[in-house]
Amino acid sequence: MQRALFPALFSALVTFLLTCLVIGVKLEQDGPELTVVNADAATWGWIAFAVVAVFLVQLFHQPLSALKQRLTTPHISALLPREQLRSRLTPWLIALVVLGLFIWPFMVSRGSVDLATLALIYVMLGLGLNIVVGFAGLLDLGYVAFYAVGAYTYALLSEYYGLSFWACLPIAGLMAATFGCILGFPVLRLRGDYLAIVTLGFGEIIRILLNNWTDVTGGPNGISGIEKPTLFGLEFSRRAAEGSQTFHEFFGIDYDSSHRVVFLYLVALLLVLFTIYVINRVQRMPIGRAWEALREDEIACRSLGLNPTVIKLSAFTMGASFAGFAGCFFAARQGFISPESFTFIESAIILAIVVLGGMGSQLGVILAAIAMTILPELAREFQEYRMLMFGGVMVLMMLWRPQGLLPMKRPQLELKTS
């Protein structure tokens, strides 16, 4: 209890400072001067409640966890039926969740569907970076470069060659995978901070190249008028181009701009499901086991006869390919891209999603991506404190759950003697 007293006090102090800055103290501008406006008594009461709750949870977290583990630890004989029941119910639960995700956009507002589409893009990016950082243990700070490669691949092919979204989607993934392989060669002998610096430089090189190659990429002006995805040639606009047909005319319904929003959401959902399926399959293959071996100990990995060169290149290549898919969809959704959409802060946010969710945990990364996308939108009134809140959440996570929201579970068996 005494050992947990100082962390509990520190956590309560951090909570007090953050809540005071966010909701306890407000600044109002009266001409050239700023005046401090204090909150009312009810707000201070909620702040006090939050501080006390954080202090008590942090103080009694370890004793309660030990008691819970002692009470709920099953015997091996009781563990087997429970695991069998879980294995039988898991596929049905996953099918129910996927069905709900397909039905959900038809029951909510257009703004909610649009926000969910943005969250799915970050889910795809987080899952792709999780291969490099979570599975292989390679710190990558330039992941946004592959995101940019996928986006500009579709934008350039659509503008100069008139290719459709569905034709450019695999090409964007292959181009991003090629750049991932190119990045993998110079960093084969690098680890830790040195690897992070090189990948950060690679991301900046791509952004500066896009910003200065004006004749091809448009430079700072970007590329506009990017073609939207179609459903078997059916466009979701009010009027179709010459030789094409619109979605509402084909089905004989009234035009509704929300049809395109729902369609983009469904495309993003299919891409995320494809990403999860591929990663789950690869994770159980020998290459997936090799990624985990490289993450744990590169020297031991080499002593087992595994080739670290091939393992690193495969991680960079596969992780980059999913960023290419996400970039292609991002360009199609926005209709406009520029180098300002692919700055270092995007790489930092994607890396924060992986760390916050739990490195190697796919479900944790999905939940963290959703939280990192939705919470800033809900806190728009605290726009000036957004980065402060983001930093505070990361600090508290490192104090409370350094392994992330849902750490990666590994099969293990403990034998205890009475």
Side-chain angles (χ1 to χ4, degrees):
M1 187 72 68
Q2 295 179 355
R3 184 179 301 177
L5 181 61
F6 177 75
L9 290 173
F10 179 74
S11 302
L13 178 61
V14 172
T15 304
F16 176 74
L17 294 176
L18 291 177
T19 51
C20 284
L21 289 174
V22 175
I23 62 174
V25 177
K26 298 182 180 179
L27 298 178
E28 290 187 358
Q29 187 171 4
D30 185 10
E33 298 181 355
L34 290 176
T35 58
V36 179
V37 180
N38 292 325
D40 53 9
T43 303
W44 286 112
W46 282 109
I47 293 176
F49 174 77
V51 171
V52 173
V54 168
F55 174 77
L56 294 178
V57 169
Q58 187 67 16
L59 183 64
F60 296 103
H61 175 69
Q62 293 182 351
L64 292 177
S65 299
L67 179 61
K68 179 181 178 181
Q69 184 177 4
R70 185 180 304 174
L71 295 176
T72 59
T73 300
H75 297 287
I76 295 180
S77 58
L79 184 63
L80 293 177
R82 183 181 301 178
E83 292 297 329
Q84 292 176 358
L85 180 62
R86 181 181 302 175
S87 62
R88 292 179 180 178
L89 293 179
T90 299
W92 292 99
L93 180 61
I94 293 176
L96 184 62
V97 171
V98 172
L99 181 61
L101 290 175
F102 277 102
I103 298 176
W104 177 79
F106 301 98
M107 305 171 59
V108 296
S109 63
R110 174 178 175 174
S112 300
V113 177
D114 199 24
L115 182 59
T117 306
L118 180 62
L120 290 174
I121 295 177
Y122 279 98
V123 167
M124 203 183 317
L125 292 170
L127 291 174
L129 184 60
N130 193 36
I131 295 176
V132 183
V133 179
F135 293 158
L138 304 172
L139 184 57
D140 187 356
L141 293 181
Y143 191 71
V144 72
F146 311 123
Y147 187 34
V149 168
Y152 271 88
T153 297
Y154 171 55
L156 294 175
L157 291 177
S158 176
E159 180 177 3
Y160 291 106
Y161 298 99
L163 297 181
S164 65
F165 168 78
W166 299 106
C168 293
L169 185 62
I171 299 176
L174 289 175
M175 283 294 297
T178 303
F179 275 83
C181 187
I182 294 174
L183 173 62
F185 278 104
V187 302
L188 291 177
R189 298 182 180 273
L190 300 179
R191 304 178 187 174
D193 301 337
Y194 302 100
L195 175 63
I197 292 173
V198 172
T199 55
L200 173 61
F202 178 78
E204 288 300 303
I205 288 172
I206 295 296
R207 185 184 65 83
I208 294 173
L209 176 65
L210 296 174
N211 207 15
N212 291 281
W213 201 2
T214 310
D215 295 337
V216 177
T217 64
N221 297 325
I223 301 176
S224 60
I226 302 175
E227 183 182 353
K228 300 290 184 179
T230 59
L231 178 63
F232 300 108
L234 299 178
E235 299 181 1
F236 288 87
S237 57
R238 185 180 294 274
R239 293 180 179 86
E242 185 177 356
S244 302
Q245 190 175 9
T246 61
F247 176 81
H248 64 278
E249 289 177 351
F250 180 81
F251 287 98
I253 58 178
D254 295 333
Y255 171 75
D256 190 349
S257 59
S258 63
H259 291 162
R260 175 185 293 172
V261 178
V262 174
F263 175 68
L264 291 174
Y265 166 84
L266 295 177
V267 172
L269 180 59
L270 290 175
L271 289 175
V272 169
L273 294 176
F274 172 76
T275 302
I276 296 174
Y277 174 77
V278 172
I279 293 177
N280 281 331
R281 297 292 296 177
V282 174
Q283 188 180 1
R284 292 175 173 83
M285 294 172 63
I287 187 62
R289 306 294 184 185
W291 289 339
E292 296 184 8
L294 179 68
R295 177 192 62 199
E296 298 299 330
D297 194 328
E298 183 174 347
I299 298 176
C301 175
R302 190 187 300 271
S303 67
L304 293 174
L306 300 176
N307 189 349
T309 301
V310 177
I311 298 173
K312 290 182 180 180
L313 287 178
S314 64
F316 274 112
T317 302
M318 181 162 288
S321 64
F322 293 114
F325 294 145
C328 180
F329 178 79
F330 172 77
R333 174 180 177 266
Q334 296 294 113
F336 169 79
I337 57 173
S338 69
E340 295 302 319
S341 302
F342 310 102
T343 57
F344 168 71
I345 190 62
E346 289 294 321
S347 290
I349 291 176
I350 301 169
L351 180 62
I353 288 173
V354 176
V355 175
L356 184 64
M359 292 190 294
S361 172
Q362 295 189 53
L363 182 58
V365 169
I366 293 173
L367 295 178
I370 295 174
M372 292 287 291
T373 307
I374 295 179
L375 290 182
E377 296 296 329
L378 298 179
R380 279 187 175 273
E381 56 184 283
F382 308 117
Q383 177 72 25
E384 60 272 21
Y385 301 119
R386 181 177 296 185
M387 295 308 297
L388 176 65
M389 296 168 62
F390 173 71
V393 169
M394 294 301 296
V395 170
L396 294 179
M397 282 298 302
M398 293 301 102
L399 290 175
W400 288 341
R401 295 187 66 87
Q403 295 180 348
L405 292 173
L406 293 175
M408 181 179 179
K409 294 184 178 180
R410 301 174 183 172
Q412 60 182 1
L413 182 63
E414 296 181 1
L415 298 179
K416 296 182 179 180
T417 58
S418 56

